[in-house]
Amino acid sequence: MMKRVLPHPALSAMLVVVWLLMANEITLGGFLLGGLFGLILPKFTEPFWPDRPRVRFGRAAIGYVGIVLFDIVVANFQVARLILFRRNRDLRSRWLVVPIDLQTPEAITVLAGTISLTPGTVSSDVSADGLSLLVHALDVDDPDAEIARIKSRYEARLQRVFA
């Protein structure tokens, strides 16, 4: 029964939050209208998501968001230090090919987005077979260690979220 009313609960919640953010104020009317959109739009888009991923919204997702937010703050300071105190010619920027074990396009997209959100790195391409991700890093001493860090810090956690 719940699946028929809310076919995509995460999408419904996101629509309510986005509507309230766009309205720029939290009112009962805005919340009700956002809730109406959150109920109606997922019903109309349901046929376009036949194989939607299984996402675990719990400790794994909360832990992942916490790690990403922490890494964004730390990376901001690291990049600021690089910009302020290191000459351009001393930067060791590298292209990294990160092999990925994630199966769903949604999980790969979250991984690529996470890498791009973290200052100092940007995801630029996914291989045609979906087995590797091309990442540019601003300053890397050991490319293999950076690839291992991405896999252990982000990909392993995403595998638990998208299990």
Side-chain angles (χ1 to χ4, degrees):
M1 175 66 179
M2 185 66 162
K3 196 109 165 136
R4 291 177 57 190
V5 175
L6 285 174
H8 305 285
L11 177 60
S12 296
M14 184 188 70
L15 286 170
V16 172
V17 169
V18 168
W19 182 259
L20 291 173
L21 289 172
M22 286 176 41
N24 205 22
E25 62 182 346
I26 298 176
T27 63
L28 179 61
F31 186 76
L32 291 175
L33 191 56
L36 184 66
F37 288 142
L39 288 174
I40 292 173
L41 290 177
K43 281 301 276 184
F44 284 121
T45 62
E46 185 179 17
F48 301 108
W49 295 43
D51 300 325
R52 63 174 204 257
R54 298 177 64 165
V55 180
R56 292 184 178 169
F57 294 101
R59 292 179 72 162
I62 292 169
Y64 183 75
V65 170
I67 290 290
V68 170
L69 291 175
F70 176 79
D71 285 352
I72 288 172
V73 171
V74 169
N76 271 300
F77 287 107
Q78 290 171 339
V79 169
R81 189 184 78 238
L82 288 173
I83 292 170
L84 293 173
F85 302 113
R86 190 170 299 167
R87 292 178 292 193
N88 286 344
R89 67 175 179 248
D90 295 336
L91 289 176
R92 298 167 305 250
S93 57
R94 304 268 193 277
W95 286 100
L96 309 172
V97 177
V98 180
I100 48 180
D101 300 321
L102 298 170
Q103 302 298 317
T104 65
E106 293 83 5
I108 294 169
T109 301
V110 172
L111 176 63
T114 299
I115 291 169
S116 294
L117 279 173
T118 308
T121 55
V122 64
S123 303
S124 62
D125 197 14
V126 178
S127 65
D129 58 5
L131 297 177
S132 60
L133 189 64
L134 183 62
V135 175
H136 184 268
L138 181 62
D139 188 55
V140 175
D141 285 332
D142 183 5
D144 293 330
E146 184 66 19
I147 290 169
R149 189 186 72 77
I150 289 171
K151 291 188 71 60
S152 67
R153 193 142 178 98
Y154 301 133
E155 186 181 31
R157 286 179 169 86
L158 277 176
Q159 285 178 330
R160 290 192 294 271
V161 172
F162 284 92

